[in-house]
């Protein structure tokens, strides 16, 4: 795939370059709580603007229903991008309408603009090729060149990700190129032992990647809400913990296959349990205690891995050559249940391995808990995209950037 450096070598001065970024940042009202994804696209935007391009940044945010919704406006992200660039950033109040056309027309060389949320137009996510293509045509009319740099969306067959590159000369931005290089390290030339830490709420979200990793990883460390389905599959009582009963047979089969394949699949030996889910808004102290993972009381919910498990998992990471982590190990948003996630992050920091934090909540946890991002080998901006790549799937947004 063509790189942005190759594109810049062709002289982009005065040309309109549409950058498909991922500005899908978490918001508390209109306040951005984690600007990591905005900062991730800065190198691409700065390089293009510095070369005199007229940069048009396009992104989605959240899941609006194909129509404008103020709760999902990209205005806060546009403002933050301007702050980080130290320059004015124009904002179009629609995606391909009058405001978008006027905003793009008003750009001078080196200027930057942001379009309103792409998902305010139903054509962006439509499963109908013609509807999606029609929206891509409208977006293409706003630009001369396309740069794909929204890694968090490359696993989506959406108009701005998949259809638009076919309509314009295109290249991969710095972020996408870096993400792909890291993922190749996790799949093509892995330094062993290869340890994968998987957390998060639902085991159903991770079944495909577990299936793939059972033939590639040396160790799988399981935590988060998904761990309780594994414990149930072993015949243990899990109380009121998150449980996907319908996934127990599949999990049981994975446990058996891990043993046959020589993959060490490690489950919690103790958990931090509480009578009810904590209040994440007030973060008031919650009643809780540590219990053995095979003896969770019927009226208690497991919300974090316990201290013995934290030590166990850290020991399984200590000698790793490569570590990939996706998904928090507990309800890290509350201080009483953040210890497990913090311990995994610390284990990665202490490790001499090539460490990758797989985007989404894992990346948010690293920042929320105050870790230095530079202490990790790589922090991905796309959890879902990373997982699908590791599953061996073809990602539409990457395929579209191939020449």
């Amino acid at each position: 795939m063509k790189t942005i450096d190759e594109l810049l070598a062709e002289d982009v001065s005065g040309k309109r370059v549409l950058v498909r970024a991922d500005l899908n940042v978490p918001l508390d009202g209109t306040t951005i709580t984690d600007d990591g994804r905005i900062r991730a696209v800065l190198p691409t935007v700065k390089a293009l603007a510095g070369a005199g391009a007229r940069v048009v940044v396009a992104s989605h945010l959240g899941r609006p229903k194909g129509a404008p919704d103020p709760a999902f406006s990209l205005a806060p992200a546009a403002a933050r991008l301007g702050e980080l660039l130290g320059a004015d950033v124009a904002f179009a109040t629609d995606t391909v309408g009058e405001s978008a056309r006027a905003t793009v027309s008003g750009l001078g060389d080196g200027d930057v603009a942001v379009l309103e949320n792409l998902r305010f137009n139903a054509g962006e996510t439509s499963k109908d090729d013609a509807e999606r293509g029609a929206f891509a045509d409208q977006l293409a009319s706003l630009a001369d060149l396309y740069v794909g740099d929204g890694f968090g969306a490359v696993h989506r067959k959406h108009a701005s990700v998949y259809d638009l590159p076919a309509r314009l000369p295109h290249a991969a931005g710095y972020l996408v190129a870096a993400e792909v290089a890291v993922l190749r390290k996790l799949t093509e030339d892995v330094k062993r032992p290869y340890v994968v830490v998987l957390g998060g709420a639902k085991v159903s979200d991770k079944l495909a990647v577990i299936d793939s990793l059972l033939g590639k990883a040396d160790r799988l460390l399981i935590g988060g809400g998904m761990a309780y389905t594994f414990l149930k599959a072993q015949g243990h009582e899990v109380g009121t913990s998150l449980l996907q009963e319908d996934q127990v047979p599949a999990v049981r089969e994975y446990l058996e296959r891990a043993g046959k394949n020589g993959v060490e699949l490690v489950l919690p030996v103790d958990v931090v349990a509480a009578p009810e889910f904590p209040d994440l808004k007030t973060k008031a102290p919650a009643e809780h205690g540590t219990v053995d993972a095979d003896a969770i009381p019927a009226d208690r919910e497991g919300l974090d891995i316990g201290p013995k498990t934290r030590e166990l998992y850290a020991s399984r990471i200590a000698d790793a050559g490569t570590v990939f982590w996706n998904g928090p190990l507990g309800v890290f948003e509350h201080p009483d249940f953040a210890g497990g996630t913090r311990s995994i992050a610390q284990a990665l920091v202490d490790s001499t391995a090539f460490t990758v934090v797989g985007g989404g909540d894992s990346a948010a946890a690293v920042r929320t808990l105050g870790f230095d991002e530079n202490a990790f080998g790589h922090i991905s901006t796309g959890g879902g995209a990373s997982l699908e790549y590791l599953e061996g799937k073809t990602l539409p947004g990457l395929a579209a950037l191939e020449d």
Side-chain angles (χ1 to χ4, degrees), residues 2-4 7 12 15-21 44 48 54 56-59 118 124 136 139-140 142-151 153-154 156 158-173 176 396-398 400-403:
K2 189 173 188 176
T3 68
I4 188 171
L7 188 70
V12 297
K15 293 184 178 179
R16 302 168 301 164
V17 183
L18 191 147
V19 177
R20 197 344 177 151
T44 291
L48 289 167
R54 302 177 181 192
V56 182
V57 180
S59 177
L118 292 167
E124 169 67 1
L139 287 169
L142 298 173
D144 304 303
L145 303 168
Y146 175 91
V147 171
D149 213 30
F151 181 74
V154 294
R156 306 295 187 193
H158 291 170
S160 65
V161 176
Y162 178 75
D163 302 273
L164 184 54
R167 289 158 167 78
L168 293 169
H170 52 264
V176 162
L398 296 184
L401 292 175
E402 297 289 349
D403 292 327

Side-chain angles (χ1 to χ4, degrees), residues 122-396:
E124 169 67 1
T125 59
S126 176
K127 295 191 181 340
D128 181 84
D129 291 347
E131 183 179 13
R132 222 175 45 246
F135 183 49
D137 287 338
Q138 291 178 293
L139 287 169
S141 71
L142 298 173
D144 304 303
L145 303 168
Y146 175 91
V147 171
D149 213 30
F151 181 74
V154 294
H155 58 314
R156 306 295 187 193
K157 193 176 181 180
H158 291 170
S160 65
V161 176
Y162 178 75
D163 302 273
L164 184 54
R167 289 158 167 78
L168 293 169
H170 52 264
Y174 290 124
L175 174 61
V176 162
E179 294 273 15
V180 171
V182 166
L183 288 169
R184 284 177 177 156
K185 279 190 177 184
L186 296 177
T187 54
E188 295 175 10
D189 187 22
V190 183
K191 185 178 179 182
R192 296 185 181 277
Y194 181 18
V195 179
V196 178
V197 184
L198 292 177
K202 296 182 178 179
V203 71
S204 57
D205 293 340
K206 304 289 198 304
L207 285 178
V209 75
I210 293 171
D211 183 72
S212 175
L213 290 169
L214 284 175
K216 298 172 183 174
D218 297 301
R219 297 175 196 143
L220 291 178
L221 314 182
I222 305 295
M226 61 185 287
Y228 302 101
T229 301
F230 277 86
L231 292 171
K232 186 70 172 181
Q234 289 186 324
H236 302 311
E237 168 65 53
V238 297
T240 60
S241 305
L242 186 63
L243 173 65
Q244 289 186 283
E245 192 83 49
D246 61 325
Q247 301 297 335
V248 168
V251 168
R252 190 174 288 126
E253 191 271 328
Y254 285 167
L255 288 166
E256 293 172 0
R257 185 142 58 93
K260 292 177 183 177
N261 290 357
V263 177
E264 186 182 5
L265 198 157
V266 190
L267 297 177
V269 294
D270 62 347
V271 303
V272 180
E276 59 185 5
F277 199 83
D279 188 330
L280 299 184
K281 284 195 175 292
T282 66
K283 294 182 171 55
E287 180 187 343
H288 64 280
T290 302
V291 298
D292 289 341
D294 60 358
I296 300 173
D299 62 349
R300 296 268 166 159
E301 177 179 10
L303 297 171
D304 194 11
I305 57 171
K308 292 179 182 177
T309 305
R310 296 168 200 173
E311 291 183 12
L312 172 65
Y313 285 10
S315 73
R316 293 299 190 272
I317 291 170
D319 68 342
T322 304
V323 185
F324 174 74
W325 169 32
N326 180 277
L329 279 290
V331 185
F332 75 91
E333 301 91 340
H334 193 285
D336 290 337
F337 308 103
T341 301
R342 181 181 287 106
S343 71
I344 293 298
Q346 188 62 54
L348 265 65
V349 169
D350 294 340
S351 172
T352 58
F354 175 61
T355 57
V356 179
V357 181
D361 286 341
S362 312
V366 163
R367 298 183 185 107
T368 299
L369 297 175
F371 285 90
D372 180 359
E373 294 179 46
N374 295 320
F376 303 88
H378 180 72
I379 298 180
S380 178
T381 57
S386 296
L387 289 178
E388 290 200 13
Y389 190 101
L390 294 180
E391 289 168 24
K393 290 184 177 179
T394 297
L395 305 188

